[in-house]
Structures are given as C-alpha cells and as structure tokens.
Amino acid sequence: MSSQISPHVRVRFAPSPTGYLHVGGARTALYNYLFAKKNNGKFILRIEDTDEARSTQESLQGVVDDMVWLGLKWDEGVDPITLQDVGPFGPYRQSERLSIYKEIVEQLLNSGKAYYCFLTDQEIEKQREESAAAGHFAHVNSPYQDWTLEQAKVKLAAGEKAVVRFKTRELKKDYIFNDQVRGEVKFPSDMVGDFVVLRSGGMPVYNFCCAIDDHLMKITHVFRAEEHLPNTLRQLMIYEAMGWQAPEFGHMALILDEDRQKLSKRKGAVACGQLKQEGYLPSAILNFIALLGWSHPEEKEILSVEEMIQAFDISRLNLSGAIFDRVKFKWMNAQHLRATPNKELWNLVQPFLARENMELPQDPAWQEMSVSVFKTSMETLVDAIELYKPLNDKSYVVLPEADETLKWEPTKAVLSAWRDLVKAHPSDYMTEAEFLKIQDEVKNITGAKGKNLFMPIRVAVIGKPHGTELKTLVPLIKKSSLVQRAEMALALA
Ligand code: GLU
C-alpha cells in the first residue's frame, strides 16, 4: 500500500485548445486526477492558449465538454459552462495572464538572463545551413546576447522587431532531476540553445508560460507525456533563473498502436468525442486508458474510478509504451455496459435510437426490460441500433430474402394460425412462455414443424427468415403490432 504524499498536492492538466481531446490527453488528465484524489490534493485545469493562430474557442469548449463527460472534475480552472475562472490562482487561461509573463520577461532582461534578439528568419536559416554544410549541428548563435539592454532598447525604439531569448551559454552544467516514472534523468545544458521566451509579436511561448504558471499556481507534481521531456530542461532553466523550486516531474510513456507506432487516427478513433459517438462509455474509456501504462497491484482489469483512486500509485507506471488494443477496448466496454443498471443503460442507449428516428414504447418498464434482454448482445451503445430495429414498427418490411419461405406450401396456414392466436391473446404483450405456447399451438393446428414452422413466423415478426431469436423479440412487441406485421406477411404469401 503506498502512503499518501501530502495534503497539499496540486496537479494540473494543461491542454492547448488547438484540437480535440485525444485519448493520450485524457490519460494524462486521468493520471493527474487520480493522483490528486489519492492524495487529497487539488486538480487544476489550465488552458495553454498562447498559440493564437491555432487556439480556438470551439476546441476549448470541446475539451472541457469531453472532460466533463468523462467525469474528470477539476477543482480549479475554467467553469465548464461559462469558461470563467474558478479558483484562487486565476486567470487559468494563459492568454489572460500576459501581464504576468511580461513582468517576468522584464526581470530576466534586467538581470541579463535573457536578451532581445534581432536575428531575422533568413539570418537564422543561413546559420543553420552553414552548420549543416560544415557537418555539425549548432544552436542559434545570436550576436545580440552580448548587447546591453540599453543598446537593444535603442534599436527597438527605432521600430525594429525582436524576440526575447533565454541565455543558455553560461549555464554549462548538467541538469539532473528525479523523474517520478523514469528515475534519474540527466540533460547537459548545451542540449538546448538560447530559446525564445517571447515572440516578436509579444506572445510568450509554451515553455516559459508553463514554468511560470506551474510555479505561481503552486503545482507540486507535473505528470505529462514523455514527448515533453526536452521541454523539462528549458523549464528547469527558467526555475533556476528565477530562483524557484521546481515541481516533481513524471513523464509517461507513449500510447502506441498495435503496430507499435504512435497512436494515430488512421487505425480508429483516438478522439474522446468520437469514441462517445461510437458508443463507448466514459467509465470504460477511463478504465481502459488507466491500464495503458499503469497496472492494478492485484492485476485487476475491470475497475471503477473509485477503485483506481484507491490503488493508484505513480511507482506502478510503466516505462515502455502501452499498446492500444482496440479489441480489448471493445471487450472492456461490453463489461462496463453489462454492469450498468437497466434504467441508466436505457438513458444511454436512447439517444442512439433517437438518432435513427425509432419509435419505441415510452413505458419505462418496457424500456428497462428491453435493455435487460439486449445488454449481453451489445459491445458498444451503437450495437443497440441493429438490436432495436426489429422492434420499431416503422421499419417492418418483408424483405426479398423472405420470398422463398413465403412460397412454401404450409406458410400461408402457419401465418394465418399465428395471426389468429396472437389476436386472441388476452393482453398487450406476451411472455416468452406464452409465445412458446402459441408457437406450439400453430404447430398442432397446421402440422408444420422445424423450419416450416419457425421461418414463416420469423418473417411475420421481423420480415426475414433469419435473425434474433423470436422468444427474445416477441415479448417486446405489442400484440397489435404483431398482428399487423402478420397481415403484411400474409398478404405476400
Ligand atoms: N499544453 C501542453 C500540451 O497540451 C501541456 C504540456 C504540459 O503538461 O506541460 O501538450
């Protein structure tokens, strides 16, 4: 059993609203959420939207909606509906924190830890080509790093454009930190050159804002994808320059496709919104992604969020990339679906049926009975569509594949006996036992048996001689509808 870390744990999920919530992002959010809950800490949703060209309001709303749908509730961040700040460390959208970043840029400029750089894109490109031609890789070498702030200000006053770069030349050392997932990580400072912290248009960049916000928002642990490892070096440099203590870092292995490539949408849905459309349950998504890189100490596979919180421990995160096995994902969804109470399951299934304009009984008892009958045949909520179709009066048609059955000698007699017996049934619906009894009576009256008996009745119920078992379907179809369907089949026999 791992012990709790501290009552002051503060972790964050920091999406850039430039697209949809990817399952990888959802997993990052989930691990941070579980860690916060396990340690009685706070989970913060910070919006990293300083990339003006790519950030959109729709994307932000989409990510927020998906997080709410998944049930990953945050304690501080933007309100899910109004997107206004909630919590004492706001603003939580980086685009609203520009004055904070500007102030820190000033401090770094004044202390000589950053400088205005007037290199043009062409000059930088030329440097790159020259170092490539000389067969080695070199970082940007800016002549402006030696300028005084006063000199730079004269040039700025003359209307020249400049970025602000963080000065790395003098650091000359290894940056070592204890990654919560990977153990000791060592980066030589010359792995990065003088990196930009403020673009020429005045917008700060991710690495800079992230370090400042993690500090000001009192973030204690940063768990994120391993692709951010190189950013950690830049961020450590900023913490050091500002004299701040860095949070603990943990970098999680990538999620891979079955062919061990980075998960891509060419192989199937990777957006949470699309998985929702495909009929996956939030609880199944959370369960599945939790196990992509983490395992339960008793190797339990089907887990509720509560069980995950109880058992969550960063030391059980895997170092190697986890495979997104879609077959297993579907199986897991089916398990969660079966465990859902009938009433709740109907509420989940209903929008999928409504999407197909199905007209089905409004009676809650019928609704619950129908899902209890079908739930073991569904892997996703979308599967309900095909299962419920035979129950929808509007979609009853006698299909061409019934032609042969309709031509058989005993069919007409079977259909009319069936219709008469159903008509004589005393209540609106029949039970499975009553159906079997009627079927037996049809057999006795007509002498038809085997497929000569079953197939015509199936045509009279679902319009074709093969399909879901009648004893399952018939109790869900109203007597009047069964009679009407039988008439339609009889008219063609
Ligand atoms: N905005 C970054 C992203 O979406 C967050 C990285 C981090 O967690 O520091 O990848």
Side-chain angles (χ1 to χ4, degrees), residues 388-444:
Y388 274 84
K389 259 187 192 159
L391 305 184
N392 181 22
D393 285 339
K394 276 199 310 193
S395 64
Y396 179 79
V397 276
V398 179
L399 294 164
E401 61 202 89
D403 285 355
E404 200 200 318
T405 308
L406 289 170
K407 281 192 213 121
W408 291 340
E409 204 272 315
T411 294
K412 213 171 184 145
V414 169
L415 289 176
S416 80
W418 162 255
R419 179 204 49 198
D420 294 345
L421 289 165
V422 172
K423 217 179 205 171
H425 185 71
S427 50
D428 271 351
Y429 287 92
M430 63 180 86
T431 62
E432 182 181 327
E434 286 164 345
F435 159 72
L436 292 173
K437 196 160 157 253
I438 290 183
Q439 192 172 251
D440 257 0
E441 283 175 46
V442 174
K443 180 173 154 187
N444 294 339

Side-chain angles (χ1 to χ4, degrees), residues 130-159:
E130 280 168 5
S131 64
H136 63 84
F137 168 77
H139 296 302
V140 170
N141 185 6
S142 173
Y144 302 101
Q145 62 184 301
D146 301 321
W147 281 34
T148 63
L149 195 50
E150 287 64 39
Q151 277 176 299
K153 280 187 174 160
V154 173
K155 210 166 160 70
L156 283 173

Side-chain angles (χ1 to χ4, degrees), residues 83-363:
L83 301 180
Q84 300 297 310
D85 289 319
V86 181
F89 291 89
Y92 291 91
R93 292 167 76 157
Q94 291 186 328
S95 59
E96 289 168 10
R97 299 173 62 81
L98 300 182
S99 57
I100 300 174
Y101 309 130
K102 290 236 161 79
E103 208 182 298
I104 311 256
V105 169
E106 288 301 322
Q107 288 181 31
L108 290 175
L109 284 167
N110 288 328
S111 61
K113 290 175 176 158
Y115 61 90
Y116 284 108
C117 173
F118 298 89
L119 281 177
T120 61
D121 289 346
Q122 290 87 330
E123 286 169 320
I124 294 172
E125 191 46 42
K126 193 158 166 271
Q127 280 192 10
R128 227 174 253 141
E129 281 167 11
E130 280 168 5
S131 64
H136 63 84
F137 168 77
H139 296 302
V140 170
N141 185 6
S142 173
Y144 302 101
Q145 62 184 301
D146 301 321
W147 281 34
T148 63
L149 195 50
E150 287 64 39
Q151 277 176 299
K153 280 187 174 160
V154 173
K155 210 166 160 70
L156 283 173
E160 298 237 11
K161 290 245 167 287
V163 299
V164 174
R165 286 185 189 275
F166 186 85
K167 206 184 271 182
T168 59
R169 181 70 46 89
E170 286 137 30
L171 300 175
K172 288 209 184 343
K173 64 169 188 176
D174 287 339
Y175 283 77
I176 301 173
F177 66 97
N178 184 30
D179 190 287
Q180 303 280 303
V181 182
R182 327 176 79 79
E184 188 181 284
V185 176
K186 193 196 294 188
F187 287 128
S189 58
D190 61 7
M191 237 182 77
V192 297
D194 291 358
F195 56 92
V196 174
V197 291
L198 196 71
R199 298 186 186 96
S200 59
M203 260 298 173
V205 305
Y206 156 71
N207 273 305
F208 184 59
C209 303
C210 178
I212 294 172
D213 291 347
D214 283 342
H215 170 73
L216 294 178
M217 294 180 182
K218 299 196 186 313
I219 300 300
T220 55
H221 298 74
V222 170
F223 299 118
R224 59 187 170 197
E226 68 181 9
E227 61 205 5
H228 287 292
L229 256 179
N231 292 326
T232 305
L233 171 59
R234 294 176 178 85
Q235 293 170 18
L236 285 173
M237 288 173 171
I238 291 166
Y239 285 109
E240 184 184 53
M242 296 304 299
W244 296 334
Q245 194 194 335
E248 300 286 351
F249 291 100
H251 291 89
M252 294 152 343
L254 286 179
I255 302 177
L256 304 173
D257 254 317
E258 274 124 350
D259 55 8
R260 304 201 72 84
Q261 300 300 308
K262 194 175 165 187
L263 193 60
S264 93
K265 60 180 166 200
R266 270 176 290 120
K267 309 266 168 48
V270 291
C272 292
Q274 198 182 339
L275 293 173
K276 179 180 181 184
Q277 295 295 316
E278 291 183 6
Y280 285 87
L281 304 185
S283 63
I285 297 178
L286 294 180
N287 188 168
F288 185 69
I289 61 178
L291 297 178
L292 293 175
W294 171 77
S295 59
H296 188 274
E298 289 145 39
E299 303 293 329
K300 269 182 88 172
E301 277 206 306
I302 302 297
L303 298 162
S304 67
V305 173
E306 213 33 63
E307 286 170 303
M308 292 185 227
I309 293 172
Q310 290 310 320
F312 194 69
D313 185 345
I314 288 294
S315 70
R316 295 191 62 82
L317 289 190
N318 291 332
L319 262 181
S320 52
I323 307 282
F324 195 92
D325 176 343
R326 290 178 190 276
V327 173
K328 181 150 188 199
F329 184 25
K330 229 179 204 181
W331 169 83
M332 195 169 273
N333 199 58
Q335 306 307 307
H336 279 261
L337 218 137
R338 272 163 221 185
T340 307
N342 293 336
K343 192 170 177 192
E344 205 181 305
L345 186 55
W346 169 259
N347 291 335
L348 296 172
V349 156
Q350 198 277 334
F352 287 83
L353 304 178
R355 214 157 79 177
E356 301 288 314
N357 295 320
M358 283 195 211
E359 271 173 27
L360 297 166
Q362 306 287 319
D363 173 19

Side-chain angles (χ1 to χ4, degrees), residues 374-393:
F374 290 141
K375 73 201 292 190
T376 51
S377 309
M378 285 187 241
E379 284 188 306
T380 68
L381 297 172
V382 166
D383 293 341
I385 296 170
E386 285 308 310
L387 291 165
Y388 274 84
K389 259 187 192 159
L391 305 184
N392 181 22
D393 285 339

